[in-house]
Amino acid sequence: MMNIGELSALSHVSVRTLRHYDKLGLLKPTQVTEAGYRQYDETALQRLHTILLFRELEFPLADVARIIDAPDFDPVDALDRQITLLTMRREHINNLILMAKGMKLKGLKNMDFSAFDARKLDDYAAQAKAAWGKTDAWKDYESRGNTREQNKASGDALMALFADFGKRRDIDPACDEAQAMVKQLQDFITANFYTCTTPVLRSLADIYDGGGDFTRNIDKAGGQGTAAFIAKAIRLFCERSK
C-alpha cells in the first residue's frame, strides 16, 4: 500500500492529476484512512498504468473510463492493441523525422507530404476504439443508464458472489452445487450489467483465469485459485448448454 505522494513519485504523475482522476472516478484510492489520506494497492497501480498507456495514445479521459470500466474489458487484448498503436505511431514519427532531415539536406522547397499520411494509423485507432466498448454486451450495459452508486453496489455484490465461489473452490466444478452457482452468476450479470448469453459467459471464463486484474481481484475475494475454479465451472456449464 502506498500513499498518493509515493504513487506520484513512482508514476511521475502529479498529485494534482491523481486527485483529478479520483474526482472523475477514473482512479479511486483503494482506501482512505480516517485522517483522509488516499492509499493505493498494486491493483490501483496496474489500473493507473493502463490509464497512462491510453493517455499516451491521446485517448480522452472519458473514453479511457468507458473502455476500462466496460464489463467485458480484456486488459491483455487492450495491451496487444496498445502495442500495435504505439508501434505504428513510432513508424509515423520516424517518417516525419526522415522527411524533415531530407528537407534540411535538399532545401526547404523540396517538400514531401507523404510522411503526413496517418490514415493507416487513424484507421487502426478507430478499429481499436470500436473493439473497446462497442460490443453488444457494452451497448446493453450502457443503455441501462445505471448510476455510479448502482454500479458500485452491483460490483460489491458480484465480489461477494465470487467470495461464495471461493468457499467452495475445493469441490468438483462439475457437481450440481458448482453448476448451480454458475447459473446464479449468469443470472446476476444479466440482472445487473448486461444480457449474459452462453457465448458471453464462456468468454468471461477466459477473462477470469487470464492472469490479469480479473484473476487477481477474484482470487482476492475468494482466495487463491478461485478464478481458475470459476472459469472451469463456467466452461463445463457452457459445454452442457450446447
Side-chain angles (χ1 to χ4, degrees):
M1 209 59 93
M2 64 182 72
N3 61 39
I4 194 169
E6 293 169 333
L7 180 59
S8 175
L10 178 65
S11 65
H12 307 289
V13 177
S14 70
V15 170
R16 181 178 180 181
T17 298
L18 291 172
R19 286 174 176 162
H20 181 57
Y21 287 173
D22 182 5
K23 184 177 180 180
L24 293 176
L26 186 59
L27 182 70
K28 304 295 292 182
T30 306
Q31 66 181 29
V32 179
T33 67
E34 292 182 2
Y37 293 108
R38 296 172 174 86
Q39 293 189 319
Y40 301 83
D41 64 4
E42 184 179 347
T43 299
L45 185 62
Q46 290 167 347
R47 182 179 173 92
L48 177 59
H49 194 271
T50 300
I51 292 168
L52 295 180
L53 272 175
F54 277 118
R55 293 297 287 150
E56 285 295 324
L57 291 167
E58 300 180 1
F59 278 54
L61 287 177
D63 285 350
V64 176
R66 175 179 58 79
I67 290 167
I68 64 179
D69 286 334
D72 51 359
F73 174 66
D74 182 349
V76 176
D77 174 72
L79 186 58
D80 285 340
R81 293 178 185 274
Q82 287 168 335
I83 290 169
T84 300
L85 278 169
L86 289 168
T87 302
M88 294 175 73
R89 176 162 293 181
R90 180 183 63 187
E91 292 172 353
H92 179 64
I93 292 173
N94 284 341
N95 288 336
L96 290 172
I97 292 171
L98 289 173
M99 177 205 68
K101 287 182 175 179
M103 288 180 65
K104 185 176 179 181
L105 290 171
K106 299 176 182 179
L108 296 178
K109 291 184 179 180
N110 290 281
M111 292 177 288
D112 178 8
F113 289 90
S114 62
F116 294 105
D117 186 359
R119 285 174 294 181
K120 186 177 179 181
L121 174 60
D122 291 342
D123 287 346
Y124 187 85
Q127 293 172 23
K129 288 183 180 181
W132 290 317
K134 291 301 180 183
T135 61
D136 290 339
W138 170 256
K139 291 175 183 177
D140 186 0
Y141 172 74
E142 194 174 45
S143 69
R144 300 192 184 196
N146 292 341
T147 65
R148 182 171 296 171
E149 291 73 20
Q150 288 173 320
N151 289 333
K152 175 66 166 58
S154 296
D156 289 344
L158 180 60
M159 297 311 291
L161 185 55
F162 289 148
D164 286 341
F165 268 105
K167 295 173 183 176
R168 298 165 175 82
R169 65 185 184 277
D170 293 328
I171 67 175
D172 182 355
C175 74
D176 291 344
E177 184 178 5
Q179 292 298 293
M181 289 200 69
V182 172
K183 176 59 176 171
Q184 182 184 353
L185 173 64
Q186 182 181 34
D187 291 344
F188 179 87
I189 293 172
T190 296
N192 293 276
F193 297 107
Y194 49 84
T195 303
C196 188
T197 62
T198 299
V200 169
L201 182 64
R202 176 61 180 78
S203 69
L204 289 177
D206 294 335
I207 295 173
Y208 287 172
D209 68 353
D213 286 346
F214 275 98
T215 303
R216 285 185 285 273
N217 288 334
I218 291 171
D219 282 354
K220 185 176 180 180
Q224 190 68 32
T226 300
F229 170 73
I230 296 173
K232 189 171 183 179
I234 287 175
R235 292 185 181 108
L236 290 167
F237 180 90
C238 293
E239 192 65 29
R240 295 175 179 178
S241 299
K242 288 183 179 179

